Amino acid sequence: MKFKYLLFFITFFTTTFLFSQKVNTDSLLVVTNKLISVEKNYDKAITLSHIAIKNAPNYLDFHLALGRSYKMKNEIDSARYYFNYVIDKNPKYKEAFTYLTQLEIEQKNSSAALTTIDKALLLYPEEKEFQLLKLRAINLNEDTKKTVDYLTVLIEKYPADQNLKDQLYDIKLVSYADRIGVSNNRTSFNRDGVGPWNLTSVQFVKQLKKVTLIGRYNYTDRQSNKSSILNGSQYEVESYIKTSKTNYSYLSMGFSDDKVFPKVRLSYSFFQNLGNSWESELGIRYNKFINNENYSAALGFGKYIGPGWLNIKSYMQLNQKKPYPSFSATYRYYFNTRFDYFSVSSGYGTSPDERETIADFENRISLNSFRIGVGYNKVMWKKFILGAQTGFNRQEYTPSKYQNELNISLQLQYIL
């Protein structure tokens, strides 16, 4: 009987001690987490965590607390050590995967973040939080196609998640927006027997990671007294090529067998990021007509000012007796995407980039021209881009004689 009572008291006191220790350790963890999340006293949280680990070395929550505290103190190697320690000892601690992946994402370490989150997804393949973290890790690589592919997988798995759909839409709109479009430009004149002129274009835009390709068909019809007097077609190919993180090139080729367009039209511009939101452009334009040809140099500067963009550009003729300069200034105020903006423009002279009057380029470059314009572009229903521009041009058509020209342009594009 004495032995039974002794055994009972030993068991009772041992259980009471262990229970008391567990309660004290749990209480200490509550205090430690409060120090981290509420009071932001990371040094004290580290001290308490080390004390707790001495008494309960297998209590992994304190190792997790150490990782969180060191992360907030920006002691990355220490934080990484404790998160990995928890994962190695017990991968059931999902929080350790989350904290470590977030740490690697913040450090822009895509490879380590993907390694960690892939290990987590092997253990918990249906954990949505881990899938969203993997999406963030993929985004670090700036590989638009991989991001779009993984987003597409997630949308199939979570069709009701509107946030995922919005992310995919935003990426396609900004970086990966293949589209088809049609536009019409109508130019009216205040001289009897002149105009209107109509220029209609159909285009396809293919946007790749570093290259944008544009194919365009143009048809123009010039009328006089309600009868067509000149019409024709032109085929164009354009490309924007990103050559590095700080520069890109623009190339354009156009061909036509009709008098209303140049026989050959070639354009090239090199754009360089100058830092502090500045950009420069240096380019050349070539137009070959039936009886002559023309070379022009282009020089421009652009500046991003908050949500707006200001561009100033000039052209000079290279194979003429005089340079016949032209100047233009354009300001765009962006709202949401690069396709949502309001624009105003003004200019002097005739440039080789004006498609609607390019057939008269040789006649106009030596004459005065004063122009102003406004425009508005808007993405509608996440699939259509609507655009409208209007411009007024006071054009000298023969020395000392002027005509007024009114341009109205409408565009519609469909995002594929």
Side-chain angles (χ1 to χ4, degrees):
M1 290 294 291
K2 290 182 180 180
F3 178 75
K4 286 185 178 180
Y5 283 123
L6 179 61
L7 183 62
F8 171 79
F9 282 117
I10 291 173
T11 303
F12 174 78
F13 283 116
T14 302
T15 304
T16 302
F17 172 77
L18 291 174
F19 178 75
S20 174
Q21 186 182 44
K22 178 69 165 61
V23 170
N24 290 338
T25 307
D26 286 342
S27 300
L28 190 59
L29 181 63
V30 172
V31 173
T32 302
N33 286 333
K34 184 179 179 182
L35 287 169
I36 298 172
S37 302
V38 180
E39 298 181 18
K40 315 297 183 187
N41 192 335
Y42 308 118
D43 290 327
K44 190 172 182 180
I46 290 170
T47 301
L48 291 182
S49 295
H50 281 298
I51 292 172
I53 288 172
K54 285 183 179 179
N55 294 323
N58 295 322
Y59 209 129
L60 295 177
D61 295 81
F62 286 101
H63 292 83
L64 203 62
L66 283 171
R68 293 173 60 199
S69 299
Y70 281 119
K71 176 177 178 291
M72 298 308 295
K73 285 169 61 65
N74 203 33
E75 296 182 24
I76 303 304
D77 289 339
S78 296
R80 188 181 285 124
Y81 168 81
Y82 283 106
F83 290 145
N84 276 311
Y85 181 89
V86 174
I87 290 172
D88 292 339
K89 290 293 182 180
N90 190 349
K92 289 185 178 180
Y93 276 75
K94 294 182 181 180
E95 302 94 328
F97 287 110
T98 300
Y99 288 133
L100 181 56
T101 304
Q102 289 175 336
L103 179 146
E104 301 296 0
I105 289 173
E106 291 171 9
Q107 295 300 308
K108 309 296 184 185
N109 194 341
S110 174
S111 177
L114 285 170
T115 299
T116 302
I117 204 62
D118 282 340
K119 186 188 296 185
L121 284 168
L122 283 175
L123 297 169
Y124 309 99
E126 300 303 319
E127 188 71 28
K128 185 176 180 181
E129 180 186 4
F130 291 162
Q131 294 165 356
L132 296 179
L133 279 172
K134 182 171 182 176
L135 177 62
R136 290 178 57 192
I138 291 173
N139 282 336
L140 290 177
N141 291 321
E142 297 183 355
D143 189 328
T144 306
K145 189 177 186 308
K146 286 185 178 180
T147 301
V148 168
D149 289 345
Y150 192 63
L151 265 173
T152 303
V153 171
L154 292 182
I155 290 170
E156 290 178 359
K157 183 172 279 192
Y158 306 107
D161 193 324
Q162 188 59 44
N163 183 54
L164 292 174
K165 294 178 181 178
D166 289 342
Q167 287 186 59
L168 181 60
Y169 163 72
D170 289 339
I171 291 173
K172 285 188 173 183
L173 194 61
V174 174
S175 306
Y176 222 62
D178 294 348
R179 54 197 186 275
I180 56 175
V182 60
S183 65
N184 181 261
N185 181 282
R186 181 182 176 88
T187 305
S188 301
F189 302 82
N190 70 336
R191 277 201 298 150
D192 292 336
V194 179
W197 296 352
N198 285 288
L199 173 64
T200 302
S201 300
V202 179
Q203 69 176 18
F204 171 73
V205 181
K206 179 65 179 177
Q207 195 132 1
L208 304 173
K209 184 178 180 181
K210 293 185 177 182
V211 179
T212 300
L213 296 173
I214 305 170
R216 183 182 296 111
Y217 168 76
N218 301 315
Y219 176 80
T220 191
D221 179 40
R222 295 187 173 184
Q223 298 185 5
S224 175
N225 296 318
K226 299 182 180 180
S227 297
S228 177
I229 59 172
L230 191 62
N231 56 60
S233 300
Q234 182 192 46
Y235 299 91
E236 284 187 290
V237 177
E238 293 181 353
S239 179
Y240 291 88
I241 304 171
K242 187 175 182 181
T243 47
S244 78
K245 290 184 177 181
T246 59
N247 54 58
Y248 64 96
S249 293
Y250 165 76
L251 289 165
S252 175
M253 296 181 291
F255 305 95
S256 176
D257 290 327
D258 301 309
K259 293 181 179 180
V260 76
F261 288 107
K263 291 183 69 64
V264 179
R265 182 175 183 269
L266 302 174
S267 301
Y268 174 78
S269 281
F270 179 79
F271 296 85
Q272 177 66 48
N273 186 332
L274 302 177
N276 198 27
S277 300
W278 281 94
E279 180 183 76
S280 65
E281 175 188 358
L282 182 62
I284 189 166
R285 307 291 188 263
Y286 170 77
N287 288 289
K288 179 177 177 58
F289 300 93
I290 294 176
N291 298 318
N292 51 57
E293 57 186 7
N294 177 272
Y295 294 87
S296 306
L299 177 65
F301 292 93
K303 167 72 172 175
Y304 287 93
I305 307 170
W309 176 73
L310 175 65
N311 180 259
I312 299 173
K313 188 182 292 189
S314 65
Y315 299 87
M316 296 283 181
Q317 309 314 308
L318 300 178
N319 63 332
Q320 302 287 331
K321 293 180 180 180
K322 295 183 179 180
Y324 298 122
S326 66
F327 306 92
S328 66
T330 302
Y331 177 77
R332 288 182 179 179
Y333 184 89
Y334 291 93
F335 299 102
N336 298 310
T337 72
R338 62 190 175 114
F339 300 117
D340 293 276
Y341 60 84
F342 172 78
S343 66
V344 293
S345 61
S346 63
Y348 166 80
T350 300
S351 85
D353 285 342
E354 295 167 21
R355 287 188 173 87
E356 61 271 14
T357 59
I358 190 63
D360 296 320
F361 180 68
E362 287 288 328
N363 298 325
R364 290 187 174 221
I365 56 173
S366 61
L367 300 171
N368 290 319
S369 175
F370 306 91
R371 67 191 69 230
I372 56 173
V374 295
Y376 183 71
N377 257 46
K378 176 68 176 175
V379 177
M380 304 290 290
W381 308 294
K382 297 187 177 182
K383 277 293 183 181
F384 295 93
I385 305 172
L386 304 179
Q389 288 83 36
T390 183
F392 175 80
N393 182 28
R394 180 67 171 166
Q395 177 68 50
E396 187 179 30
Y397 63 92
T398 194
S400 301
K401 292 186 178 181
Y402 288 83
Q403 66 188 14
N404 296 331
E405 301 174 0
L406 180 65
N407 287 296
I408 298 177
S409 178
L410 299 174
Q411 302 95 34
L412 174 64
Q413 297 183 70
Y414 177 75
I415 300 171
L416 301 174

